[in-house]
Amino acid sequence: MTNESMTASAAVPTGRGLLDRLGLPAPLALGFIGVLLFMIGDGVESNYLSPFLVDTEGFSESAAAVTISAYGIFVTIGSWLSGTLSSVLGPRKVMIIGAVTWVVFEALFLTVGVGADVHWVAVVAYSIRGIGYPFFAYAFLVWINTATRPEQRGSSVGWFWFVFGAGLPTLGSLLASWTIPVIGEVGTFWLATGLVVLGALTAILGVRDRQHAGPAHNGDSAIAELAKGLTIIWRQPRVSLGALVRLINTAPNFALFVVAPFFFTEQIGFTQSQYLQIVTIVYTANIFANLFFGVLGDRFGWQRTVLWFGCVMSAVGAASLYIVPVLVGPNFWLTVLCWAILGIGLAGFVPLTALVPSFVPAEDRGSALAVYTLAAGLSAFIGPVLVGVLGGAANVPILIGTFVAMYVVGALLCLALRSEEDPRNLRIAAADRHGDLP
């Protein structure tokens, strides 16, 4: 029996109920709700932390920037380790470690760092807290990939990215806008902590699948498993190629966060309010597109969805996002349409989360996802670096041309990302066995 067959047969049983038809494996359903609550709590601070540190806590702007940068480093480390540690300890234990780390260091940040006005404690505690959400969320992503049937996996990871993106930053920021005028900034931090605790308890206690909750490795030591998380980069070239496509996925998007405000307000002529409205509309559409492309990937094929709706659509969207506003000026809805093509195209990469782990046996999937999530974290670093290297907002045409070229390269790399577990290939193989046309 092939690794793919063994994995499929070991997947959590699913019925024909509503959850199964929606692409949600019922034994894991409360995990998705838990991740949503956790990420809402984590995302509450996303749009007010920096002003809070500077205006309320007396940090200099550079100190606030250092704090947030250090946090980003720990997020990247957590993203890298979450997959491999899930193989060593099991995803459930890694989720527990992530939740406890988040709550303990957030409490330290608020009581000593903020409450007692000890800045170095605030910096250290907030930075270390950065491993919390990757451990919790990405360990659950490992759980999904090891516990879900191949023909349902794209839909399941689509639901994961839907709840992840809905929480961080969308609903988290919305909640903060409601609660800060009522209970203040510090009170909102504590409310966020309560949501994180509620989300963690919902997922950790509510997920009924225990078959895939523990370690996936076959008796290897922890050190050996961690080493596998590094060596898989050259042992499994398709995993590395898939991770590179994942880096290409969002690096241009993070670059746009740096230059787009200047380009659209200073060069095109939008007001800041109009620009923010455009961004809100586009990334709300992106959240729902994550779910749509997860479902579509299970029908159209993971590889084909990433190639055409991810890489090609993002290339078209990136090009039109520059060309159309330059030609027609500050037309609100035309700009929304162009940016939406890119924003929805970014969601076309969702099936890649199911595709990359399918290249390896079940016991190596944590390591494969470790490389994948590391690429996701690095994209947040590479994007702004591209802006700096290529000259910033003064050289937007060069930046856009680079983004388009990156997505074209991603499309070419996708040609090598064929998997036997891709639902389309499974259907073709089944049709061949029965003598039917695919």
Side-chain angles (χ1 to χ4, degrees):
M1 183 180 288
T2 65
N3 289 323
E4 290 82 1
S5 300
M6 290 192 299
T7 302
S9 64
V12 293
T14 53
R16 301 185 57 161
L18 176 62
L19 290 177
D20 189 53
R21 290 197 296 272
L22 290 174
L24 278 168
L28 302 180
L30 284 177
F32 292 91
I33 296 174
V35 170
L36 174 63
L37 292 170
F38 191 105
M39 297 314 299
I40 291 174
D42 189 81
V44 159
E45 70 194 33
S46 57
N47 283 318
Y48 83 90
L49 176 67
S50 184
F52 171 78
L53 292 176
V54 174
D55 299 335
T56 305
E57 291 303 303
F59 278 59
S60 66
E61 290 188 14
S62 60
V66 167
T67 302
I68 295 171
S69 298
Y71 170 83
I73 292 171
F74 276 88
V75 168
T76 302
I77 293 170
S79 300
W80 168 258
L81 291 177
S82 59
T84 302
L85 288 178
S86 292
S87 295
V88 177
L89 304 174
R92 189 169 184 269
K93 285 185 179 179
V94 177
M95 291 175 72
I96 292 172
I97 293 170
V100 170
T101 300
W102 200 104
V103 172
V104 168
F105 283 95
E106 177 76 351
L108 188 61
F109 169 74
L110 292 175
T111 55
V112 180
V114 171
D117 204 27
V118 183
H119 285 188
W120 72 266
V121 172
V123 172
V124 171
Y126 184 76
S127 300
I128 297 175
R129 201 207 79 183
I131 69 170
Y133 95 70
F135 271 30
F136 184 84
Y138 294 152
F140 185 63
L141 186 58
V142 173
W143 205 339
I144 292 169
N145 269 281
T146 55
T148 308
R149 294 177 291 120
E151 60 268 27
Q152 191 184 42
R153 198 171 298 146
S155 302
S156 297
V157 299
W159 277 105
F160 171 84
W161 290 114
F162 174 79
V163 299
F164 185 98
L168 175 68
T170 311
L171 293 179
S173 296
L174 182 62
L175 179 64
S177 71
W178 293 339
T179 59
I180 288 175
V182 179
I183 61 176
E185 294 169 323
V186 174
T188 299
F189 275 120
W190 283 114
L191 175 63
T193 304
L195 282 171
V196 166
V197 171
L198 180 61
L201 291 175
T202 300
I204 293 166
L205 300 179
V207 173
R208 292 186 282 114
D209 171 48
R210 290 292 183 267
Q211 180 182 355
H212 306 90
H217 64 88
N218 297 319
D220 293 337
S221 68
I223 294 177
E225 193 66 25
L226 288 170
K228 285 169 62 178
L230 293 171
T231 62
I232 198 170
I233 294 173
W234 56 85
R235 286 191 294 109
Q236 298 287 350
R238 286 184 299 172
V239 169
S240 300
L241 291 179
L244 181 56
V245 174
R246 177 61 184 87
L247 186 139
I248 290 171
N249 174 195
T250 48
N253 191 51
F254 284 110
L256 276 175
F257 287 160
V258 178
V259 299
F262 303 103
F263 173 68
F264 284 105
T265 59
E266 297 177 5
Q267 298 184 34
I268 301 302
F270 286 108
T271 66
Q272 184 184 54
S273 176
Q274 288 174 320
Y275 168 74
L276 292 174
Q277 289 170 14
I278 291 169
V279 171
T280 300
I281 293 170
V282 167
Y283 288 97
T284 299
N286 170 264
I287 292 170
F288 289 95
N290 285 333
L291 180 57
F292 172 78
F293 283 118
V295 175
L296 180 69
D298 284 340
R299 290 155 178 76
F300 187 64
W302 297 337
Q303 179 198 36
R304 291 205 302 170
T305 300
V306 174
L307 195 161
W308 293 107
F309 293 100
C311 298
V312 174
M313 189 173 182
S314 294
V316 172
S320 64
L321 186 58
Y322 173 76
I323 294 170
V324 173
V326 166
L327 291 178
V328 304
N331 184 300
F332 184 89
W333 288 109
L334 269 180
T335 302
V336 166
L337 175 62
C338 294
W339 204 334
I341 294 172
L342 175 59
I344 293 171
L346 296 175
F349 288 83
V350 159
L352 193 64
T353 314
L355 183 61
V356 170
S358 73
F359 298 140
V360 298
E363 62 270 17
D364 281 342
R365 289 193 173 168
S367 298
L369 279 169
V371 178
Y372 179 88
T373 52
L374 175 65
L378 283 176
S379 70
F381 171 75
I382 295 296
V385 167
L386 282 174
V387 174
V389 170
L390 297 177
N395 289 316
V396 172
I398 296 175
L399 277 167
I400 293 296
T402 302
F403 300 160
V404 172
M406 289 171 66
Y407 287 124
V408 170
V409 170
L412 295 175
L413 293 177
C414 280
L415 299 176
L417 300 182
R418 188 183 184 281
S419 169
E420 294 179 17
E421 282 196 35
D422 191 315
R424 179 172 180 270
N425 294 332
L426 288 175
R427 288 193 294 273
I428 291 174
D432 287 345
R433 286 196 299 270
H434 291 89
D436 299 327
L437 291 174

